[in-house]
mmCIF file of all heavy atoms in Angstrom:
data_model
loop_
_atom_site.group_PDB
_atom_site.id
_atom_site.type_symbol
_atom_site.label_atom_id
_atom_site.label_comp_id
_atom_site.label_asym_id
_atom_site.label_seq_id
_atom_site.Cartn_x
_atom_site.Cartn_y
_atom_site.Cartn_z
ATOM 1 N N ILE A 1 55.379 -24.672 61.517
ATOM 2 C CA ILE A 1 55.282 -26.125 61.341
ATOM 3 C C ILE A 1 54.029 -26.578 62.076
ATOM 4 O O ILE A 1 53.904 -26.374 63.279
ATOM 5 C CB ILE A 1 56.521 -26.853 61.909
ATOM 6 C CG1 ILE A 1 57.786 -26.349 61.224
ATOM 7 C CG2 ILE A 1 56.381 -28.351 61.746
ATOM 8 C CD1 ILE A 1 59.067 -26.860 61.846
ATOM 9 N N GLU A 2 53.105 -27.178 61.340
ATOM 10 C CA GLU A 2 51.848 -27.585 61.947
ATOM 11 C C GLU A 2 51.805 -29.089 62.145
ATOM 12 O O GLU A 2 52.307 -29.846 61.325
ATOM 13 C CB GLU A 2 50.673 -27.172 61.056
ATOM 14 C CG GLU A 2 50.480 -25.676 60.993
ATOM 15 C CD GLU A 2 49.240 -25.303 60.223
ATOM 16 O OE1 GLU A 2 48.315 -26.135 60.142
ATOM 17 O OE2 GLU A 2 49.208 -24.194 59.694
ATOM 18 N N HIS A 3 51.190 -29.482 63.242
ATOM 19 C CA HIS A 3 50.979 -30.897 63.501
ATOM 20 C C HIS A 3 49.661 -31.313 62.867
ATOM 21 O O HIS A 3 48.634 -30.665 63.069
ATOM 22 C CB HIS A 3 50.936 -31.168 65.007
ATOM 23 C CG HIS A 3 50.559 -32.581 65.331
ATOM 24 N ND1 HIS A 3 51.428 -33.629 65.135
ATOM 25 C CD2 HIS A 3 49.418 -33.113 65.806
ATOM 26 C CE1 HIS A 3 50.825 -34.755 65.490
ATOM 27 N NE2 HIS A 3 49.609 -34.460 65.901
ATOM 28 N N MET A 4 49.688 -32.355 62.081
ATOM 29 C CA MET A 4 48.474 -32.870 61.458
ATOM 30 C C MET A 4 47.958 -34.029 62.312
ATOM 31 O O MET A 4 48.656 -35.019 62.507
ATOM 32 C CB MET A 4 48.767 -33.366 60.033
ATOM 33 C CG MET A 4 49.357 -32.288 59.132
ATOM 34 S SD MET A 4 48.333 -30.843 58.961
ATOM 35 C CE MET A 4 47.029 -31.477 57.961
ATOM 36 N N SER A 5 46.757 -33.893 62.827
ATOM 37 C CA SER A 5 46.188 -34.919 63.695
ATOM 38 C C SER A 5 45.859 -36.171 62.906
ATOM 39 O O SER A 5 45.370 -36.108 61.784
ATOM 40 C CB SER A 5 44.900 -34.399 64.338
ATOM 41 O OG SER A 5 45.166 -33.293 65.138
ATOM 42 N N SER A 6 46.138 -37.304 63.552
ATOM 43 C CA SER A 6 45.768 -38.584 62.950
ATOM 44 C C SER A 6 45.526 -39.580 64.075
ATOM 45 O O SER A 6 46.167 -39.538 65.106
ATOM 46 C CB SER A 6 46.884 -39.087 62.022
ATOM 47 O OG SER A 6 48.046 -39.351 62.775
ATOM 48 N N GLY A 7 44.603 -40.440 63.868
ATOM 49 C CA GLY A 7 44.300 -41.445 64.876
ATOM 50 C C GLY A 7 43.314 -40.938 65.911
ATOM 51 O O GLY A 7 43.040 -39.743 66.030
ATOM 52 N N LEU A 8 42.791 -41.861 66.698
ATOM 53 C CA LEU A 8 41.768 -41.549 67.687
ATOM 54 C C LEU A 8 42.312 -40.687 68.817
ATOM 55 O O LEU A 8 41.656 -39.741 69.259
ATOM 56 C CB LEU A 8 41.171 -42.849 68.250
ATOM 57 C CG LEU A 8 40.046 -42.679 69.261
ATOM 58 C CD1 LEU A 8 38.886 -41.934 68.619
ATOM 59 C CD2 LEU A 8 39.592 -44.021 69.776
ATOM 60 N N THR A 9 43.537 -40.964 69.284
ATOM 61 C CA THR A 9 44.112 -40.192 70.387
ATOM 62 C C THR A 9 44.264 -38.734 70.006
ATOM 63 O O THR A 9 43.898 -37.836 70.768
ATOM 64 C CB THR A 9 45.486 -40.772 70.774
ATOM 65 O OG1 THR A 9 45.330 -42.163 71.063
ATOM 66 C CG2 THR A 9 46.056 -40.064 71.988
ATOM 67 N N ASP A 10 44.809 -38.473 68.803
ATOM 68 C CA ASP A 10 44.974 -37.094 68.360
ATOM 69 C C ASP A 10 43.627 -36.414 68.143
ATOM 70 O O ASP A 10 43.482 -35.220 68.394
ATOM 71 C CB ASP A 10 45.806 -37.028 67.076
ATOM 72 C CG ASP A 10 47.273 -37.306 67.321
ATOM 73 O OD1 ASP A 10 47.715 -37.120 68.476
ATOM 74 O OD2 ASP A 10 47.965 -37.715 66.381
ATOM 75 N N LEU A 11 42.648 -37.163 67.667
ATOM 76 C CA LEU A 11 41.320 -36.597 67.465
ATOM 77 C C LEU A 11 40.704 -36.178 68.801
ATOM 78 O O LEU A 11 40.102 -35.113 68.916
ATOM 79 C CB LEU A 11 40.423 -37.616 66.758
ATOM 80 C CG LEU A 11 39.028 -37.148 66.379
ATOM 81 C CD1 LEU A 11 39.113 -35.987 65.396
ATOM 82 C CD2 LEU A 11 38.234 -38.287 65.767
ATOM 83 N N LEU A 12 40.871 -37.008 69.844
ATOM 84 C CA LEU A 12 40.361 -36.662 71.172
ATOM 85 C C LEU A 12 41.082 -35.436 71.735
ATOM 86 O O LEU A 12 40.455 -34.557 72.328
ATOM 87 C CB LEU A 12 40.499 -37.843 72.120
ATOM 88 C CG LEU A 12 39.563 -39.021 71.836
ATOM 89 C CD1 LEU A 12 39.905 -40.196 72.730
ATOM 90 C CD2 LEU A 12 38.121 -38.603 72.016
ATOM 91 N N LYS A 13 42.418 -35.371 71.542
ATOM 92 C CA LYS A 13 43.177 -34.213 72.017
ATOM 93 C C LYS A 13 42.692 -32.944 71.334
ATOM 94 O O LYS A 13 42.565 -31.896 71.961
ATOM 95 C CB LYS A 13 44.667 -34.391 71.749
ATOM 96 C CG LYS A 13 45.357 -35.320 72.698
ATOM 97 C CD LYS A 13 46.839 -35.364 72.368
ATOM 98 C CE LYS A 13 47.568 -36.367 73.227
ATOM 99 N NZ LYS A 13 48.990 -36.453 72.866
ATOM 100 N N THR A 14 42.426 -33.029 70.027
ATOM 101 C CA THR A 14 41.943 -31.873 69.289
ATOM 102 C C THR A 14 40.581 -31.435 69.821
ATOM 103 O O THR A 14 40.321 -30.251 69.996
ATOM 104 C CB THR A 14 41.848 -32.190 67.783
ATOM 105 O OG1 THR A 14 43.116 -32.620 67.322
ATOM 106 C CG2 THR A 14 41.414 -30.982 66.997
ATOM 107 N N GLY A 15 39.713 -32.390 70.117
ATOM 108 C CA GLY A 15 38.393 -32.065 70.657
ATOM 109 C C GLY A 15 38.474 -31.436 72.032
ATOM 110 O O GLY A 15 37.788 -30.453 72.323
ATOM 111 N N PHE A 16 39.349 -31.976 72.906
ATOM 112 C CA PHE A 16 39.485 -31.428 74.249
ATOM 113 C C PHE A 16 40.182 -30.082 74.246
ATOM 114 O O PHE A 16 40.031 -29.297 75.176
ATOM 115 C CB PHE A 16 40.250 -32.394 75.166
ATOM 116 C CG PHE A 16 39.410 -33.543 75.644
ATOM 117 C CD1 PHE A 16 39.779 -34.849 75.364
ATOM 118 C CD2 PHE A 16 38.242 -33.316 76.358
ATOM 119 C CE1 PHE A 16 39.003 -35.909 75.801
ATOM 120 C CE2 PHE A 16 37.460 -34.368 76.799
ATOM 121 C CZ PHE A 16 37.843 -35.672 76.521
ATOM 122 N N SER A 17 40.956 -29.789 73.188
ATOM 123 C CA SER A 17 41.675 -28.512 73.153
ATOM 124 C C SER A 17 40.717 -27.328 73.066
ATOM 125 O O SER A 17 41.098 -26.203 73.344
ATOM 126 C CB SER A 17 42.661 -28.474 71.990
ATOM 127 O OG SER A 17 41.972 -28.445 70.759
ATOM 128 N N MET A 18 39.450 -27.577 72.692
ATOM 129 C CA MET A 18 38.470 -26.492 72.670
ATOM 130 C C MET A 18 38.101 -26.063 74.080
ATOM 131 O O MET A 18 37.721 -24.926 74.306
ATOM 132 C CB MET A 18 37.210 -26.942 71.927
ATOM 133 C CG MET A 18 37.402 -27.125 70.451
ATOM 134 S SD MET A 18 35.832 -27.534 69.701
ATOM 135 C CE MET A 18 36.276 -28.976 68.772
ATOM 136 N N PHE A 19 38.223 -26.975 75.046
ATOM 137 C CA PHE A 19 37.802 -26.692 76.411
ATOM 138 C C PHE A 19 38.959 -26.432 77.364
ATOM 139 O O PHE A 19 38.803 -25.799 78.378
ATOM 140 C CB PHE A 19 36.979 -27.863 76.955
ATOM 141 C CG PHE A 19 35.817 -28.198 76.076
ATOM 142 C CD1 PHE A 19 35.809 -29.373 75.337
ATOM 143 C CD2 PHE A 19 34.730 -27.343 75.974
ATOM 144 C CE1 PHE A 19 34.739 -29.695 74.522
ATOM 145 C CE2 PHE A 19 33.654 -27.655 75.168
ATOM 146 C CZ PHE A 19 33.656 -28.838 74.429
ATOM 147 N N MET A 20 40.141 -26.959 77.059
ATOM 148 C CA MET A 20 41.286 -26.783 77.948
ATOM 149 C C MET A 20 42.570 -26.696 77.132
ATOM 150 O O MET A 20 42.596 -27.023 75.959
ATOM 151 C CB MET A 20 41.374 -27.949 78.938
ATOM 152 C CG MET A 20 41.584 -29.300 78.277
ATOM 153 S SD MET A 20 41.709 -30.662 79.401
ATOM 154 C CE MET A 20 40.097 -30.752 80.071
ATOM 155 N N LYS A 21 43.620 -26.249 77.776
ATOM 156 C CA LYS A 21 44.916 -26.074 77.111
ATOM 157 C C LYS A 21 45.561 -27.447 76.928
ATOM 158 O O LYS A 21 45.910 -28.124 77.882
ATOM 159 C CB LYS A 21 45.808 -25.176 77.976
ATOM 160 C CG LYS A 21 47.206 -25.023 77.472
ATOM 161 C CD LYS A 21 47.283 -23.980 76.387
ATOM 162 C CE LYS A 21 48.733 -23.692 76.060
ATOM 163 N NZ LYS A 21 49.077 -23.855 74.714
ATOM 164 N N VAL A 22 45.712 -27.855 75.677
ATOM 165 C CA VAL A 22 46.363 -29.121 75.343
ATOM 166 C C VAL A 22 47.512 -28.798 74.407
ATOM 167 O O VAL A 22 47.316 -28.132 73.389
ATOM 168 C CB VAL A 22 45.376 -30.100 74.653
ATOM 169 C CG1 VAL A 22 46.079 -31.371 74.227
ATOM 170 C CG2 VAL A 22 44.218 -30.416 75.579
ATOM 171 N N ASN A 23 48.705 -29.229 74.777
ATOM 172 C CA ASN A 23 49.866 -28.972 73.928
ATOM 173 C C ASN A 23 49.861 -29.900 72.727
ATOM 174 O O ASN A 23 49.614 -31.103 72.857
ATOM 175 C CB ASN A 23 51.161 -29.180 74.707
ATOM 176 C CG ASN A 23 51.370 -28.120 75.750
ATOM 177 O OD1 ASN A 23 50.833 -27.027 75.637
ATOM 178 N ND2 ASN A 23 52.141 -28.445 76.768
ATOM 179 N N ARG A 24 50.129 -29.284 71.578
ATOM 180 C CA ARG A 24 50.273 -30.102 70.379
ATOM 181 C C ARG A 24 51.612 -30.829 70.444
ATOM 182 O O ARG A 24 52.568 -30.314 71.025
ATOM 183 C CB ARG A 24 50.246 -29.223 69.133
ATOM 184 C CG ARG A 24 48.933 -28.540 68.895
ATOM 185 C CD ARG A 24 48.964 -27.752 67.622
ATOM 186 N NE ARG A 24 50.062 -26.773 67.663
ATOM 187 C CZ ARG A 24 50.388 -25.996 66.663
ATOM 188 N NH1 ARG A 24 49.745 -26.058 65.522
ATOM 189 N NH2 ARG A 24 51.368 -25.123 66.771
ATOM 190 N N PRO A 25 51.709 -31.993 69.827
ATOM 191 C CA PRO A 25 52.999 -32.686 69.813
ATOM 192 C C PRO A 25 54.039 -31.868 69.049
ATOM 193 O O PRO A 25 53.726 -31.219 68.058
ATOM 194 C CB PRO A 25 52.701 -33.983 69.064
ATOM 195 C CG PRO A 25 51.219 -34.142 69.107
ATOM 196 C CD PRO A 25 50.646 -32.774 69.220
ATOM 197 N N HIS A 26 55.253 -31.860 69.535
ATOM 198 C CA HIS A 26 56.364 -31.159 68.886
ATOM 199 C C HIS A 26 57.024 -32.137 67.913
ATOM 200 O O HIS A 26 57.195 -33.310 68.238
ATOM 201 C CB HIS A 26 57.359 -30.691 69.943
ATOM 202 C CG HIS A 26 58.375 -29.748 69.414
ATOM 203 N ND1 HIS A 26 59.476 -30.171 68.726
ATOM 204 C CD2 HIS A 26 58.448 -28.399 69.456
ATOM 205 C CE1 HIS A 26 60.201 -29.130 68.369
ATOM 206 N NE2 HIS A 26 59.593 -28.039 68.806
ATOM 207 N N PRO A 27 57.388 -31.693 66.709
ATOM 208 C CA PRO A 27 58.002 -32.611 65.744
ATOM 209 C C PRO A 27 59.286 -33.246 66.260
ATOM 210 O O PRO A 27 59.638 -34.354 65.865
ATOM 211 C CB PRO A 27 58.317 -31.718 64.536
ATOM 212 C CG PRO A 27 57.508 -30.500 64.709
ATOM 213 C CD PRO A 27 57.209 -30.352 66.156
ATOM 214 N N GLY A 28 59.969 -32.594 67.181
ATOM 215 C CA GLY A 28 61.215 -33.141 67.718
ATOM 216 C C GLY A 28 61.010 -34.186 68.795
ATOM 217 O O GLY A 28 61.982 -34.761 69.289
ATOM 218 N N ASP A 29 59.765 -34.454 69.184
ATOM 219 C CA ASP A 29 59.494 -35.440 70.237
ATOM 220 C C ASP A 29 59.662 -36.871 69.758
ATOM 221 O O ASP A 29 59.788 -37.783 70.565
ATOM 222 C CB ASP A 29 58.068 -35.274 70.772
ATOM 223 C CG ASP A 29 57.886 -33.969 71.526
ATOM 224 O OD1 ASP A 29 58.916 -33.370 71.907
ATOM 225 O OD2 ASP A 29 56.737 -33.541 71.708
ATOM 226 N N HIS A 30 59.640 -37.076 68.493
ATOM 227 C CA HIS A 30 59.664 -38.430 67.949
ATOM 228 C C HIS A 30 61.095 -38.891 67.689
ATOM 229 O O HIS A 30 61.959 -38.090 67.332
ATOM 230 C CB HIS A 30 58.849 -38.491 66.657
ATOM 231 C CG HIS A 30 57.425 -38.067 66.867
ATOM 232 N ND1 HIS A 30 56.493 -38.889 67.459
ATOM 233 C CD2 HIS A 30 56.790 -36.903 66.603
ATOM 234 C CE1 HIS A 30 55.341 -38.257 67.539
ATOM 235 N NE2 HIS A 30 55.492 -37.041 67.033
ATOM 236 N N PRO A 31 61.367 -40.180 67.853
ATOM 237 C CA PRO A 31 62.729 -40.687 67.639
ATOM 238 C C PRO A 31 63.102 -40.827 66.158
ATOM 239 O O PRO A 31 64.250 -41.106 65.836
ATOM 240 C CB PRO A 31 62.711 -42.056 68.311
ATOM 241 C CG PRO A 31 61.279 -42.471 68.282
ATOM 242 C CD PRO A 31 60.469 -41.208 68.363
ATOM 243 N N LEU A 32 62.132 -40.627 65.266
ATOM 244 C CA LEU A 32 62.386 -40.731 63.834
ATOM 245 C C LEU A 32 61.921 -39.447 63.163
ATOM 246 O O LEU A 32 60.786 -39.021 63.322
ATOM 247 C CB LEU A 32 61.633 -41.927 63.237
ATOM 248 C CG LEU A 32 61.691 -42.086 61.725
ATOM 249 C CD1 LEU A 32 63.117 -42.369 61.263
ATOM 250 C CD2 LEU A 32 60.770 -43.202 61.273
ATOM 251 N N LEU A 33 62.829 -38.824 62.407
ATOM 252 C CA LEU A 33 62.515 -37.601 61.683
ATOM 253 C C LEU A 33 62.632 -37.897 60.198
ATOM 254 O O LEU A 33 63.687 -38.321 59.724
ATOM 255 C CB LEU A 33 63.494 -36.486 62.075
ATOM 256 C CG LEU A 33 63.391 -35.166 61.333
ATOM 257 C CD1 LEU A 33 62.029 -34.528 61.554
ATOM 258 C CD2 LEU A 33 64.505 -34.232 61.782
ATOM 259 N N ILE A 34 61.526 -37.704 59.467
ATOM 260 C CA ILE A 34 61.520 -37.923 58.023
ATOM 261 C C ILE A 34 61.329 -36.575 57.356
ATOM 262 O O ILE A 34 60.356 -35.870 57.624
ATOM 263 C CB ILE A 34 60.399 -38.896 57.598
ATOM 264 C CG1 ILE A 34 60.587 -40.249 58.283
ATOM 265 C CG2 ILE A 34 60.378 -39.051 56.084
ATOM 266 C CD1 ILE A 34 59.445 -41.213 58.066
ATOM 267 N N ILE A 35 62.272 -36.212 56.491
ATOM 268 C CA ILE A 35 62.206 -34.950 55.757
ATOM 269 C C ILE A 35 62.143 -35.287 54.277
ATOM 270 O O ILE A 35 62.989 -36.033 53.775
ATOM 271 C CB ILE A 35 63.438 -34.072 56.041
ATOM 272 C CG1 ILE A 35 63.489 -33.713 57.519
ATOM 273 C CG2 ILE A 35 63.432 -32.828 55.171
ATOM 274 C CD1 ILE A 35 64.739 -32.967 57.924
ATOM 275 N N PHE A 36 61.126 -34.757 53.596
ATOM 276 C CA PHE A 36 61.013 -34.952 52.145
ATOM 277 C C PHE A 36 61.148 -33.597 51.480
ATOM 278 O O PHE A 36 60.369 -32.687 51.742
ATOM 279 C CB PHE A 36 59.675 -35.596 51.768
ATOM 280 C CG PHE A 36 59.607 -35.937 50.302
ATOM 281 C CD1 PHE A 36 60.118 -37.131 49.840
ATOM 282 C CD2 PHE A 36 59.070 -35.038 49.393
ATOM 283 C CE1 PHE A 36 60.084 -37.442 48.492
ATOM 284 C CE2 PHE A 36 59.026 -35.334 48.038
ATOM 285 C CZ PHE A 36 59.537 -36.541 47.586
ATOM 286 N N MET A 37 62.132 -33.478 50.611
ATOM 287 C CA MET A 37 62.393 -32.217 49.904
ATOM 288 C C MET A 37 61.846 -32.321 48.487
ATOM 289 O O MET A 37 62.381 -33.059 47.669
ATOM 290 C CB MET A 37 63.894 -31.929 49.855
ATOM 291 C CG MET A 37 64.520 -31.683 51.202
ATOM 292 S SD MET A 37 63.949 -30.166 51.970
ATOM 293 C CE MET A 37 64.597 -28.967 50.846
ATOM 294 N N VAL A 38 60.792 -31.574 48.207
ATOM 295 C CA VAL A 38 60.239 -31.525 46.864
ATOM 296 C C VAL A 38 61.147 -30.625 46.024
ATOM 297 O O VAL A 38 61.510 -29.541 46.450
ATOM 298 C CB VAL A 38 58.802 -30.956 46.881
ATOM 299 C CG1 VAL A 38 58.266 -30.794 45.476
ATOM 300 C CG2 VAL A 38 57.894 -31.844 47.712
ATOM 301 N N GLY A 39 61.527 -31.102 44.848
ATOM 302 C CA GLY A 39 62.360 -30.307 43.961
ATOM 303 C C GLY A 39 63.824 -30.641 44.029
ATOM 304 O O GLY A 39 64.599 -30.201 43.206
ATOM 305 N N GLY A 40 64.220 -31.417 45.012
ATOM 306 C CA GLY A 40 65.600 -31.860 45.053
ATOM 307 C C GLY A 40 66.344 -31.452 46.304
ATOM 308 O O GLY A 40 65.987 -30.496 46.984
ATOM 309 N N VAL A 41 67.383 -32.205 46.585
ATOM 310 C CA VAL A 41 68.260 -31.948 47.722
ATOM 311 C C VAL A 41 69.676 -32.303 47.296
ATOM 312 O O VAL A 41 69.882 -33.225 46.505
ATOM 313 C CB VAL A 41 67.815 -32.747 48.969
ATOM 314 C CG1 VAL A 41 67.995 -34.234 48.786
ATOM 315 C CG2 VAL A 41 68.523 -32.283 50.213
ATOM 316 N N SER A 42 70.638 -31.545 47.794
ATOM 317 C CA SER A 42 72.034 -31.829 47.461
ATOM 318 C C SER A 42 72.658 -32.683 48.558
ATOM 319 O O SER A 42 72.141 -32.773 49.677
ATOM 320 C CB SER A 42 72.813 -30.528 47.293
ATOM 321 O OG SER A 42 72.937 -29.869 48.533
ATOM 322 N N VAL A 43 73.794 -33.281 48.246
ATOM 323 C CA VAL A 43 74.501 -34.117 49.215
ATOM 324 C C VAL A 43 74.935 -33.267 50.409
ATOM 325 O O VAL A 43 74.849 -33.717 51.563
ATOM 326 C CB VAL A 43 75.718 -34.808 48.550
ATOM 327 C CG1 VAL A 43 76.558 -35.538 49.571
ATOM 328 C CG2 VAL A 43 75.252 -35.759 47.463
ATOM 329 N N SER A 44 75.363 -32.040 50.170
ATOM 330 C CA SER A 44 75.792 -31.174 51.275
ATOM 331 C C SER A 44 74.619 -30.825 52.199
ATOM 332 O O SER A 44 74.801 -30.699 53.412
ATOM 333 C CB SER A 44 76.462 -29.909 50.747
ATOM 334 O OG SER A 44 75.570 -29.158 49.973
#
């Protein structure tokens, strides 16, 4: 699962990650999780 950078803050973090260890954001850190299933999803 890859984090896609967006916005100025993420762009700066990506730039600084070349020089120092910067942790990428974890998808579970956010209070809202959006999952889109291409091809369909069942109720179960």
Side-chain angles (χ1 to χ4, degrees):
I1 302 172
E2 292 186 25
H3 173 73
M4 302 302 288
S5 298
S6 64
L8 182 60
T9 305
D10 287 337
L11 184 62
L12 290 173
K13 283 183 184 177
T14 304
F16 283 121
S17 68
M18 291 184 231
F19 305 110
M20 62 179 68
K21 175 82 171 124
V22 176
N23 290 336
R24 294 183 303 176
H26 191 280
D29 292 343
H30 302 283
L32 174 65
L33 175 62
I34 300 173
I35 298 174
F36 186 85
M37 295 293 295
V38 175
V41 67
S42 68
V43 173
S44 62

